[in-house]
Amino acid sequence: MRITIPFIFLATLSIGCTPQNAENTTLPLAEVNAQGALQEVMLNGNLQANILIDTLENQRLIGIGPLGRLQGEITILDGKAFVTSIDSVGNPIAVEVDSLQAPFFAYANISDWQTFGFLKEVDDLPSLQAAIEELAIIEGLDLTQPFPFHIKGKITKAGYHIISKPAGELEHSHDLHKAAKVNFEVEEEEVTFVGFYSQVHQGVFTHRGDFIHIHIILPNGNITGHLDEITAKANTLELWVGLM
């Protein structure tokens, strides 16, 4: 796997995820990396590419972020890239590009996955975050250390968006970001989620006050998007955490 990063970029954070408390856990958690920063996009309107992913030779790469100048969504799971944009009539379409680029991106290289079991009932993103934290604590993880994860199972309902900023729109703001979102819903479906948990990346790849950033992968058509809402029954979603 080769990742090419421009000489000048907005923000770089590479934080090791090996737990500090060896008495709590011996799991060698994968290292979480971040290029660019969400706050630079939202506050300063800086949409320049901060990471170029020009090969997927490492088949265990995991990553999430917006495509290019906010004209789609990128999700990578075990080296497979799911890239989704919006077509001329407002429908999501899977696209192939020669070189993936993003203004901000979270990623990690996974050697193996460790199941933490099934989540309790969730009815929104805060309760999903709490459910993830609950299982992580049971497994003895230090929640001050970031970690990558994926979740598989059946949801009751999920809402997600695909960012689709007009190509000729040079300015950016919170209002323009909201206007660029194309929203969708899915119900009673088997889906996959790819995400990162971090208490130290607020403004980098999570919003202020949030510790999770999650993308959804739909079962048909390789469609992916940014998760906004979720409800799911207890014991229907299984959490897997990425190991180094």
Side-chain angles (χ1 to χ4, degrees):
M1 171 66 201
R2 180 164 60 90
I3 298 177
T4 302
I5 302 171
F7 181 73
I8 299 176
F9 49 86
L10 301 176
T12 300
L13 288 177
S14 179
I15 298 177
C17 294
T18 302
Q20 296 176 336
N21 189 342
E23 295 181 357
N24 287 345
T25 181
T26 58
L27 287 177
L29 298 178
E31 181 181 25
V32 173
N33 301 279
Q35 298 293 339
L38 171 63
Q39 63 185 1
E40 286 291 334
V41 172
M42 301 296 290
L43 298 180
N44 298 327
N46 194 331
L47 303 181
Q48 75 177 62
N50 282 296
I51 182 166
L52 306 175
I53 306 170
D54 56 5
T55 176
L56 297 177
E57 292 176 358
N58 185 341
Q59 296 185 356
R60 305 311 296 271
L61 178 72
I62 176 177
I64 55 176
L67 173 65
R69 295 178 59 84
L70 306 184
Q71 294 170 329
E73 304 286 347
I74 304 170
T75 304
I76 300 176
L77 178 60
D78 288 336
K80 181 177 180 180
F82 301 85
V83 185
T84 302
S85 292
I86 299 297
D87 66 15
S88 59
V89 293
N91 295 319
I93 54 170
V95 296
E96 295 184 4
V97 293
D98 294 332
S99 180
L100 296 178
Q101 59 180 346
F104 66 91
F105 200 71
Y107 64 97
N109 287 294
I110 308 298
S111 64
D112 201 3
W113 292 100
Q114 174 71 44
T115 179
F116 277 15
F118 288 89
L119 299 173
K120 63 183 181 182
E121 182 177 359
V122 297
D123 54 20
D124 54 19
L125 283 181
S127 65
L128 175 59
Q129 177 178 302
I132 292 171
E133 290 173 333
E134 181 178 287
L135 284 185
I137 290 172
I138 290 173
E139 292 295 324
L141 295 193
D142 177 1
L143 291 182
T144 65
Q145 301 302 305
F147 58 87
F149 62 86
H150 78 266
I151 299 170
K152 293 183 178 181
K154 186 175 183 179
I155 51 89
T156 302
K157 186 176 181 180
Y160 65 97
H161 76 261
I162 298 167
I163 198 75
S164 185
K165 185 176 179 66
E169 188 176 79
L170 301 181
E171 302 82 7
H172 200 62
S173 65
H174 280 280
D175 289 341
L176 290 175
H177 195 88
K178 183 177 180 180
K181 294 180 180 180
V182 183
N183 299 300
F184 301 93
E185 289 186 350
V186 59
E187 297 183 7
E188 301 294 340
E189 193 70 82
E190 296 279 345
V191 300
T192 298
F193 298 110
V194 176
F196 292 85
Y197 179 93
S198 176
Q199 298 184 4
V200 297
H201 285 92
Q202 295 177 76
V204 179
F205 60 74
T206 71
H207 290 284
R208 296 294 178 183
D210 295 334
F211 298 154
I212 54 174
H213 183 165
I214 302 178
H215 281 195
I216 186 173
I217 302 174
L218 281 298
N220 299 314
N222 292 336
I223 299 300
T224 189
H226 179 103
L227 183 67
D228 295 315
E229 301 175 5
I230 180 173
T231 58
K233 297 176 182 178
N235 301 317
T236 59
L237 297 177
E238 187 174 17
L239 174 68
W240 297 75
V241 170
L243 305 183
M244 185 180 299

